[in-house]
Amino acid sequence: QPAMHFVAIMRSVCGAKVKTSKEGVGSEIHEGMWQFAQLLGSSGVHAVAQDAINIWIDMRPFLDSPDFESEANTWRVLHETYCVLLVPGSTCGVEEPGWFRCSIAG
């Protein structure tokens, strides 16, 4: 299942190297988001840091089909099955399905 593959990548990247806990509020969280985007990239998942607390993750390869219905289904599976909550790009005005925003809340 594509969502499970993405979750495995996120767990390996997050568990190994990125600190995003509240103890790192400030520049450490900012650095963590840039690092997270780079680590996802080195794991084969394209990610672009938008700013200090947001990155965009290209999950088009993990969609069952290239449409917004598949994006919504992927979001639902990630949230309900794996407790991963990302923001679908369609809710942020992204015109191409498959982009998700990942944010750190402090």
Side-chain angles (χ1 to χ4, degrees):
Q1 181 177 8
M4 185 182 344
H5 178 72
F6 175 74
V7 169
I9 291 170
M10 280 196 63
R11 284 183 177 159
S12 98
V13 166
C14 289
K17 300 180 181 178
V18 178
K19 293 181 181 179
T20 57
S21 66
K22 288 185 179 182
E23 66 190 49
V25 173
S27 64
E28 291 177 20
I29 280 190
H30 300 174
E31 180 61 32
M33 289 305 282
W34 297 105
Q35 182 186 24
F36 184 49
Q38 290 176 336
L39 290 169
L40 281 172
S42 68
S43 297
V45 178
H46 180 66
V48 179
Q50 176 183 358
D51 53 37
I53 61 169
N54 297 292
I55 62 171
W56 284 97
I57 301 171
D58 180 3
M59 292 187 50
R60 290 176 294 177
F62 302 98
L63 298 181
D64 293 329
S65 59
D67 54 41
F68 288 109
E69 183 177 333
S70 182
E71 179 182 90
N73 185 53
T74 299
W75 176 86
R76 205 171 5 271
V77 169
L78 287 171
H79 176 62
E80 294 173 1
T81 306
Y82 301 103
C83 297
V84 173
L85 186 56
L86 300 173
V87 178
S90 58
T91 64
C92 302
V94 176
E95 295 180 5
E96 185 175 4
W99 287 90
F100 288 78
R101 191 178 74 197
C102 175
S103 301
I104 297 255

